[in-house]
Structure formats: C-alpha cells, structure tokens
C-alpha cells in the first residue's frame, strides 16, 4: 500500500499557495538544529562535566528567537484553523504532560520544573504546528535536506577540522555536537528518517545519507547507539512483516510479548551469562547507578520531584554524582524510564512508557503508511536506548520532535487525501 513517504509531491501551484511558506520552512530548519543539539562547539574533552556546560556561541539569542517564532506560529495556526488538528496530533502526549504538570507543582523546585515543562511543550507544539501548515511533500523534503546537511557537516568537520570535530584524545568523532554519544544518538535518528525517505524512484541520495549516518555512528564509538540501532532495524523488519499478515490484536500482542521477553532476558538472564563469561555484569557500572538513583527516587514515588529534577544536574543529582564520581560525571540515572519515574513518579513512568508503546507497537497496526512506521522506529529506538541512557524525558529533544512530526505527517496526509477525494467527487457530481 502506498504510504505517506511515497505520496506524490504536490504541484508547484499548490506549494506557492502555502501562506507564510518561508516562515514555516525556516521554523522547521531552526527547530531541527536546536532540538538535535547541532552547533559549532568549541574544542573540549569527553568524560567531564565541561561537556555538559559547553559554551554555545550565539546559542541564547538563537533559542529566544526560536521560542518567539514557535509562539507566533501557534497563534497564526490557531487563528486560521483552531486547535482541532493540534489536539489530534498531540493527544498521546497529553497524559505525560499532565503528569509532569502535577509533579512540577508539588516538586522540589516548582519554577525550574515548570520552565523545563514549558520548553518541552514548545518543542512538541513546534513539530505539530509546522506539519499542520506545510503540505506533506514540502515538510518531508525540508526535514530530509536538513538532517542530510547535519550529517554531511558532521563528517566533513570531523575529517577536515579534527580539533573541533573530534575529541581531544583523537579518533573519536563528535561532529557538530557536544560529545560522541550525542553524535551517535542523532546519527541513528537521521538514519531512520533517511531510510524512511527512500523510494524506488528516489533512493540514491537517501542511501548516501544513511551511509554517512552509519559512518558517524561507528566513528563516534557510541556502542549504545549502535546496539540500539541494530535492534531497532530488526524490530522494524518484524513490524513490516507482521502488519501485512496478521490482525491488529495478534500483531500488538506478539510485539508486547517479545518486548516482555527481551526485558526478562536483559535484567535476569543476561547479567548471569556475562558473569559466567567473565564479562562485566553491571553494564559498565550502570546497575550501581540505577540502584542509587532508585533509592533516592523512592522518597517521592507517586508524583516525583518535577521535570528535570533527576534528568538534569540539580540539587538532587549533584550529591548522587559525587558519590558515583569513580564512574565519571553521573548526573542522570542513565535510564530514561528511571528518569521518568524520578521526574514525575509512577504516573510519569506509566504515561512515558504508554506513549512510546502506543507509537511503537500499536499505531503501526492501526495505520499502514510509512510515516507511522518510521515514527514507530523512532519510538522503539527511544525505548531501547533509554534502557542504558537518559537522553529525552522532559527534554527538548530531537526524538520527541520527530515522533510528533511523523505522526502529524501521517494525519496531514490523511487530511490531504480526504480533501482530494472530496474534490474528485464534486467534479464527478458536477459533470453528471
């Protein structure tokens, strides 16, 4: 079945009719840059707190400009079309937002938590508003060209200007990002997006960008991203196989049972196997980190301490980081699910897991388009990599942006097809 990514491009006439088109394209490009963390960073070493506080030249004015553009874009869209489409796109994230709002009010630092929640909300709104205003063909092309440029620049800077594109110890790429793990994370997301852009007619450049992304993953030395990327590709193959052959109920059940089996194996069987093989069963010390952070989080298990309280450097994570200083700068729990539990309690954990499970395991069987499949891959990658890294909980991250954008693209495609069918019916009725 033809998917969203295979949909024919809109005609030049239709593209010119998009109101404020340069503004929306600029908003998309600027959002991808900010939420992916792509920037021209100063040379730094990896492994210390300095990488978490890298000075981004011009970063603050850029951020304020983008926040202003997002608010302006929201006002323009609402004045033209209301909240209906935005509500449809953002519906899966609303329970997670409410959990974060409650945690912010009753948390340890309400104003700081509310600020994190507001910025996260603006990130989500940005993706939804852009795809609501731009036709699918234009938004798809702009997204693809932006991520392709970021990957190409990362390779060029890493090779041509190693003082900036590589870490001080040499040979480890970071590209246009602050550290190697960020490059591996974003490169995997770009690989998933570009692979989803491939069609039989247009495959050469997407394949080239996929190759660049794979090179960045390998040269960054980010093992977590590499393993999660391989698992995600296998998962997408399984979903593609199942959703054309089984019912929705059977497909979702199969995926949930597979996920449960993987979790049981990872937590209860794999450590014993590693110990027998003489390997590190603590996942490079992560089990110690998880245990210490969980003990602290159990003080407020229901509502948590507010967005950012355990997923950024805070008065709660600083003493934990000092106790774990032998393992490095451990200022987060190195587990996204623990991060959601610490920030918003059991309700945050359930809603965080719920939105990812819905996008990764339920939505692909409800919708047969390719955008939904790529969105499922991004959600699953977030789940898989979230087992060993914190990355994105209530953070303005690229994975959240992509999930909203791809879901909105699928809904927008449906809207465009319905409008085209209605117009065709009117023409037939008029001729008759």
């Amino acid at each position: 079945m033809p998917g969203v990514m295979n949909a024919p491009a809109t005609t030049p006439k239709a593209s010119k009719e998009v109101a404020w088109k340069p503004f929306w394209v600029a908003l998309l490009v600027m959002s991808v840059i900010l939420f992916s963390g792509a920037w021209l960073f100063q040379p730094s070493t990896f492994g210390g707190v300095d990488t978490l506080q890298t000075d981004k030249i011009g970063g603050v004015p850029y951020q304020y400009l983008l926040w202003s553009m997002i608010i302006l874009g929201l006002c323009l869209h609402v004045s033209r079309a209301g909240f209906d489409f935005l509500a449809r796109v953002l519906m899966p994230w609303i329970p997670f937002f409410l959990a974060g709002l409650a945690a912010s009010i009753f948390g340890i630092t309400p104003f700081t938590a509310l600020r994190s929640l507001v910025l996260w909300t603006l990130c989500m709104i940005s993706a939804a508003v852009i795809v609501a205003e731009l036709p699918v063909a234009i938004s798809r092309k702009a997204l693809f060209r932006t991520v392709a440029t970021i990957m190409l620049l990362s390779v060029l800077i890493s090779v041509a200007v190693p003082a900036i594109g590589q870490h001080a110890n040499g040979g480890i790429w970071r590209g246009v990002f602050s550290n190697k793990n960020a490059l591996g994370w974003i490169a995997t997301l770009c690989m998933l997006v570009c692979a989803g852009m491939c069609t039989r007619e247009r495959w050469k450049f997407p394949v080239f960008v996929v190759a660049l992304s794979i090179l960045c993953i390998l040269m960054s030395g980010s093992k977590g991203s590499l393993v999660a990327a391989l698992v995600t590709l296998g998962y997408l193959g399984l979903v593609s196989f199942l959703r054309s052959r089984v019912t929705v109920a059977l497909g979702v059940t199969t995926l949930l049972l597979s996920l449960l089996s993987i979790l049981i194996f990872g937590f209860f069987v794999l450590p014993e196997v590693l110990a027998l093989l003489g390997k590190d069963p603590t996942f490079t010390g992560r089990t110690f980190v998880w245990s210490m952070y969980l003990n602290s989080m159990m003080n407020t298990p229901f509502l948590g301490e507010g967005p950012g309280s355990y997923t950024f450097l805070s008065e709660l994570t600083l003493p934990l980081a000092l106790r774990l200083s032998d393992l490095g700068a451990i200022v987060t729990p190195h587990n996204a699910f623990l991060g959601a539990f610490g920030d918003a309690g059991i309700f945050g954990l359930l809603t965080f897991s719920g939105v990812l499970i819905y996008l990764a395991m339920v939505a692909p069987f409800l919708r047969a388009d390719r955008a939904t499949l790529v969105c499922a891959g991004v959600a699953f990658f977030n789940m898989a990599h979230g087992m060993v890294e914190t990355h994105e909980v209530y953070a303005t991250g690229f994975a959240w942006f992509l999930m909203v954008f791809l879901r909105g693209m699928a809904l927008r495609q449906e809207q465009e097809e319905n409008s085209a069918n209605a117009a065709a019916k009117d023409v037939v009725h008029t001729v008759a």
Side-chain angles (χ1 to χ4, degrees):
M1 178 180 292
V4 169
M5 301 297 183
N6 292 325
T10 55
T11 62
K13 181 179 179 181
S15 298
K16 292 179 181 178
E17 292 175 354
V18 179
W20 289 57
K21 177 185 171 183
F23 172 81
W24 299 115
V25 173
L27 182 58
L28 171 57
V29 174
M30 292 176 65
S31 296
V32 171
I33 292 172
L34 180 62
F35 301 140
S36 68
W39 208 262
L40 191 63
F41 291 93
Q42 297 178 356
S44 67
T45 58
F46 176 72
V49 177
D50 60 321
T51 60
L52 303 176
Q53 301 171 344
T54 306
D55 182 21
K56 293 172 62 172
I57 299 174
V60 173
Y62 182 90
Q63 291 177 36
Y64 279 105
L65 174 61
L66 182 58
W67 303 139
S68 301
M69 290 175 65
I70 293 172
I71 294 172
L72 174 60
L74 176 62
C75 295
L76 289 173
H77 174 74
V78 170
S79 64
R80 183 187 67 82
F83 288 98
D84 291 349
F85 185 79
L86 297 182
R88 288 185 64 199
V89 175
L90 296 173
M91 185 65 69
W93 287 272
I94 291 178
F96 186 51
F97 168 82
L98 294 176
L101 181 60
S104 299
I105 296 172
F106 298 101
I108 189 170
T109 53
F111 291 106
T112 302
L114 284 172
R115 179 181 180 277
S116 297
L117 184 65
V118 168
L119 295 181
W120 176 81
T121 304
L122 287 175
C123 170
M124 311 296 274
I125 289 175
S126 172
V129 167
I130 293 168
V131 80
E133 290 292 330
L134 286 177
V136 169
I138 297 176
S139 59
R140 180 178 64 242
K141 183 185 297 184
L143 175 65
F144 174 64
R145 290 181 177 179
T146 305
V147 299
T149 302
I150 289 175
M151 285 296 96
L152 185 59
L153 286 175
S154 289
V155 173
L156 292 177
I157 290 178
S158 296
V159 173
V161 194
I164 295 177
Q166 297 184 19
H167 287 293
N169 49 348
I172 300 177
W173 289 11
R174 65 170 184 157
V176 293
F177 301 94
S178 62
N179 60 72
K180 70 182 188 71
N181 287 335
L183 174 60
W185 168 260
I186 300 300
T188 305
L189 293 172
C190 291
M191 179 190 70
L192 293 173
V193 170
C194 295
M197 300 294 177
C198 285
T199 64
R200 293 180 180 179
E201 296 79 17
R202 301 177 180 178
W203 60 271
K204 293 182 180 180
F205 192 60
V207 168
F208 172 69
V209 179
V210 168
L212 291 180
S213 301
I214 294 174
L215 179 62
C216 287
I217 296 171
L218 295 175
M219 295 304 295
S220 70
S222 181
K223 297 178 181 178
S225 294
L226 178 60
V227 173
L230 294 174
V231 173
T232 301
L233 291 175
Y235 172 78
L236 288 176
L238 176 61
V239 172
S240 299
F241 175 81
L242 288 176
R243 70 175 183 169
S244 62
R245 291 171 173 83
V246 300
T247 63
V248 173
L250 181 58
V252 173
T253 302
T254 301
L255 293 180
L256 289 175
L257 290 177
S258 300
L259 176 63
L260 182 61
S261 300
I262 293 173
L263 292 176
I264 292 174
F265 175 81
F267 282 105
F268 298 104
V269 180
L270 184 58
E272 300 296 331
V273 173
L274 292 175
L276 290 174
L277 295 175
K279 305 293 184 179
D280 181 12
T282 68
F283 303 110
T284 319
R286 279 179 170 80
T287 55
F288 297 122
V289 176
W290 297 341
S291 176
M292 188 168 291
Y293 268 84
L294 180 60
N295 287 336
S296 176
M297 294 170 182
M298 290 305 294
N299 293 322
T300 53
F302 296 106
L303 292 179
E305 293 288 3
S309 58
Y310 279 102
T311 49
F312 292 102
L313 184 63
S314 69
E315 60 183 88
L316 290 173
T317 60
L318 180 58
L320 294 174
L322 293 176
R323 295 178 200 171
L324 295 165
S325 57
D326 291 342
L327 299 175
I330 311 296
V331 296
T332 69
H334 279 266
N335 185 293
F337 298 93
L338 272 180
F341 177 65
D343 280 5
I346 189 64
F347 301 108
L349 174 60
L350 292 176
T351 52
F352 175 77
S353 303
V355 66
L356 293 178
I357 290 174
Y358 171 76
L359 294 174
M361 300 184 176
V362 179
F365 292 96
L366 299 179
R367 309 183 64 87
D369 56 83
R370 195 185 298 188
T372 301
L373 182 63
V374 178
C375 182
V378 174
F380 184 84
F381 175 67
N382 208 29
M383 293 171 62
H385 204 282
M387 298 303 299
V388 294
E389 293 291 348
T390 307
H391 277 304
E392 300 179 14
V393 182
Y394 287 102
T396 54
F398 190 42
W400 281 134
F401 180 87
L402 280 179
M403 280 183 264
V404 175
F405 192 88
L406 291 166
R407 173 176 164 80
M409 189 182 290
L411 296 177
R412 178 64 189 265
Q413 178 65 30
E414 180 184 83
Q415 191 179 73
E416 291 178 4
E417 290 176 350
N418 290 339
S419 298
N421 291 336
K425 290 179 180 179
D426 289 342
V427 170
V428 172
H429 180 73
T430 302
V431 172

